[in-house]
Amino acid sequence: MAIRSVVQNGDEVLRKKCFPVEEFDEKLWQLLDDMKETVIKEEGAGLAAPQVGVLRRVAVVNVDEGYFELINPVIIAQKGEQTGLEGCLSVRGMQGEVSRPQKVKFTYYDRNGNKCLGMAKGFFARAVCHELDHLDGVLYIDKAKNIERV
Ligand code: CO
């Protein structure tokens, strides 16, 4: 495993739409292992592949409910609304208020290519939505109100 450097806002890689994963191979596992090491070291709630310069639909989420590897994730249902503070490892030293669904239901593939169903609420749902936005080139600062330095 290796820690990868996190791309910062302003780099165009963060603004591209990512391609689906088609091969569940060792290259994917290496990426996932590196993303895990990186998000833990950076103490992030999640990390998306474009943040380490890889334009693939891969994200990890690191929350109280556990550690999740989401490959080709798609939100299939959402409910309610919550507004809260968000930050991002690619927008260092800032936070802002973002409205997100209170609950989301999503499909994704695990690292072995098995299709899975996920449910998340509260901060977990917020983290899933934030990371999925990255896969379409969207940053939380595009949606946030009251962005401030921390
Ligand atoms: Co982010």
Side-chain angles (χ1 to χ4, degrees):
M1 295 213 289
I3 290 169
R4 300 203 187 188
S5 61
V6 179
V7 173
Q8 293 301 301
N9 183 28
D11 191 315
E12 66 177 29
V13 76
L14 293 174
R15 295 306 190 170
K16 305 224 187 248
K17 196 168 165 69
C18 295
F19 301 97
V21 170
E22 284 164 2
E23 306 284 341
F24 293 79
D25 56 8
E26 285 193 16
K27 197 174 169 201
L28 173 68
W29 302 336
Q30 182 72 60
L31 172 66
L32 288 164
D33 289 347
D34 289 355
M35 287 174 69
K36 182 171 191 176
E37 192 167 350
T38 304
V39 77
I40 289 170
K41 185 223 163 203
E42 300 280 356
E43 300 179 342
L47 186 68
Q51 293 183 275
V52 293
V54 176
L55 288 174
R56 288 286 170 184
R57 302 191 78 81
V58 174
V60 300
V61 174
N62 181 31
V63 291
D64 290 346
E65 288 83 353
Y67 184 85
F68 299 89
E69 296 177 335
L70 308 178
I71 299 152
N72 298 341
V74 178
I75 290 175
I76 56 169
Q78 59 183 64
K79 207 173 172 184
E81 191 180 290
Q82 57 172 321
T83 300
L85 287 174
E86 255 171 64
C88 179
L89 295 177
S90 293
V91 190
R92 290 204 191 273
M94 310 291 282
Q95 64 178 24
E97 251 175 53
V98 188
S99 291
R100 301 283 190 187
Q102 177 60 26
K103 289 185 184 175
V104 291
K105 191 188 280 190
F106 52 98
T107 59
Y108 63 101
Y109 290 81
D110 69 15
R111 62 164 61 206
N112 296 310
N114 301 305
K115 195 172 188 182
C116 305
L117 179 66
M119 312 266 257
K121 60 182 181 179
F123 185 77
F124 183 13
R126 172 178 298 286
V128 168
C129 292
H130 177 118
E131 298 314 327
L132 266 63
D133 273 353
H134 274 298
L135 306 183
D136 291 316
V138 175
L139 299 179
Y140 88 87
I141 49 175
D142 304 342
K143 300 179 166 181
K145 287 189 290 188
N146 306 322
I147 298 172
E148 57 182 22
R149 293 200 171 276
V150 286

